[in-house]
Amino acid sequence: MTHRGQSAPFRWEGVEVRAYKETGETFRDVTRQELTGAEHGQGTSLRYFEVGPGGHTTLERHEHTHVVIPIRGRGGALIVDRVVPLAPHDIVFVPSWGWHQFRAADDEPFGFLCAVVIDRDRPVLPTESDLAQLRRNPEIAEFIRS
Amino acid sequence: MTHRGQSAPFRWEGVEVRAYKETGETFRDVTRQELTGAEHGQGTSLRYFEVGPGGHTTLERHEHTHVVIPIRGRGGALIVDRVVPLAPHDIVFVPSWGWHQFRAADDEPFGFLCAVVIDRDRPVLPTESDLAQLRRNPEIAEFIRS
C-alpha cells in the first residue's frame, strides 16, 4: 500500500472508524482511525482522532510522547500545565508524563493527527490529588470540567 | 516547547524556511521546514516541504521510508512504479528503496508533511539505466520530465 486516498473528507480508504476507547466515561464523542502502523518501519503509528462538537478526550498521561497536528476545525488542549487554543496545522508536543486532554469547540468537530511510538505504555488517569493540583490553575479547572 | 503555533499559513513560529537541498539541479522551487526532531523521543522527524507551482522534488530513492501527508494545494507523485494524484490529507507511503518524486500542479503551490527516521541513509539518484527502466511506463516518462 503506497497511497491511501480518501473516501470522504477525513475518512480514508480501507481505514475503519473505530471507538476511541473500548469503555469508560472519561471522554465524550471521540472516534479513532489508524492511518499508518508498523508497515512503514519507522516504529511509530499515525492516528486521526475526531472529537464531536463539545466533546473531549480522556485527561491522562503516560511515558510515551505525542506529536499532534490538528487538521479539522478548532479546539483546545490542556498540555502539561497550560491551556492552548488549537487551529489546523498547529504543532503540539505532549512530553513524557505530561497531562493532556483535547476538546472540540462547541460548534464544530475537531480533528487531529497524532503520532506515537508503537511500543508504548498504557495511559494513567489522574488521582483526586492530581486533579486538585491541576485545578489550582483556574483556566485548567475550567478546561477539565467534565 | 509544547505548542508551535503559526506565524502565517504554512509558516511556524521559530521554524526557519530553508532550502530543500544545498545544491543541485535535480529539483525546482522547493522549500523545507523542520517541524519536529529528536526532542520528542520518537526517533522520527517531521518536515514540511512546499513545492512552488510547476516545481518538483528530486527523483531519488533510499533505504529509509517516508510517510507523506499533503496539507496544501494539489500535486502528484511518482511512488515506486506508478503516478498518483495527491490532494490534502491523502496518505502516501514511500517504501524502502522505492523511487519517488513529488510535483506541484502548474497553478498552485503543493505542500506536504513528511515523516522520516532521524538516523537515516542518504538518497541515491537514478542512473541512466534506472531512468530508461522507469521511462518504459509512458505515464512515468511524462511525470519525470525535467
Side-chain angles (χ1 to χ4, degrees):
Chain A
M1 206 288 296
T2 55
H3 176 230
R4 199 185 281 290
Q6 294 159 87
S7 52
F10 306 103
R11 298 293 181 268
W12 289 265
E13 294 164 359
V15 178
E16 189 181 358
V17 179
R18 299 169 65 187
Y20 169 60
K21 293 181 176 176
E22 295 297 315
T23 57
E25 298 179 359
T26 58
F27 57 91
R28 187 168 66 202
D29 197 2
V30 186
T31 59
R32 164 207 295 261
Q33 296 177 74
E34 305 265 347
L35 303 181
T36 73
E39 74 288 349
H40 58 54
Q42 295 187 9
T44 54
S45 174
L46 186 68
R47 298 89 46 85
Y48 173 74
F49 294 95
E50 195 167 282
V51 186
H56 62 84
T57 64
T58 302
L59 171 58
E60 62 186 31
R61 65 177 187 165
H62 35 64
E63 184 175 18
H64 66 274
T65 66
H66 287 314
V67 175
V68 169
I69 304 179
I71 60 172
R72 179 178 197 175
R74 291 184 177 258
L78 164 67
I79 308 293
V80 185
D81 57 2
R82 65 193 185 114
V83 173
V84 293
L86 293 176
H89 307 153
D90 285 351
I91 310 286
V92 178
F93 170 52
V94 178
S96 193
W97 293 114
W99 292 113
H100 56 284
Q101 182 177 50
F102 296 86
R103 283 185 180 270
D106 286 335
D107 56 352
E108 59 180 334
F110 177 56
F112 55 88
L113 301 171
C114 178
V116 287
V117 293
I118 291 173
D119 182 15
R120 60 187 184 271
D121 61 323
R122 293 187 66 84
V124 174
L125 298 179
T127 62
E128 282 304 316
S129 168
D130 292 328
L131 288 172
Q133 177 69 29
L134 284 165
R135 288 191 184 115
R136 289 184 187 179
N137 177 327
E139 193 180 18
I140 292 177
E142 167 61 17
F143 188 86
I144 66 175
R145 73 194 184 278
S146 61
Chain B
M1 205 289 296
T2 55
H3 177 230
R4 198 184 281 290
Q6 295 158 88
S7 52
F10 307 103
R11 298 293 181 267
W12 288 266
E13 293 164 0
V15 178
E16 189 181 356
V17 179
R18 300 170 65 187
Y20 168 60
K21 294 182 176 177
E22 294 299 314
T23 58
E25 299 180 358
T26 58
F27 57 91
R28 188 168 66 202
D29 198 3
V30 186
T31 59
R32 165 207 295 262
Q33 295 178 74
E34 305 264 348
L35 303 180
T36 73
E39 75 286 349
H40 58 54
Q42 295 187 11
T44 54
S45 173
L46 186 69
R47 298 89 47 84
Y48 174 73
F49 294 96
E50 196 168 282
V51 185
H56 61 84
T57 64
T58 302
L59 171 59
E60 62 185 32
R61 64 178 187 164
H62 36 63
E63 184 174 20
H64 65 273
T65 66
H66 287 315
V67 175
V68 169
I69 304 179
I71 60 172
R72 178 178 197 175
R74 291 185 178 256
L78 164 67
I79 307 294
V80 186
D81 58 1
R82 65 193 186 115
V83 173
V84 292
L86 293 176
H89 308 152
D90 285 351
I91 310 287
V92 179
F93 169 52
V94 179
S96 193
W97 293 113
W99 292 115
H100 54 284
Q101 182 177 49
F102 295 86
R103 282 185 180 270
D106 286 334
D107 57 352
E108 60 180 332
F110 177 57
F112 54 89
L113 302 170
C114 178
V116 288
V117 292
I118 291 173
D119 182 16
R120 61 186 182 272
D121 61 324
R122 293 187 67 83
V124 174
L125 298 178
T127 62
E128 282 304 317
S129 168
D130 291 329
L131 289 171
Q133 177 70 29
L134 285 165
R135 289 190 183 116
R136 289 185 187 180
N137 178 326
E139 193 180 20
I140 292 177
E142 167 62 17
F143 188 85
I144 67 175
R145 72 192 185 281
S146 61

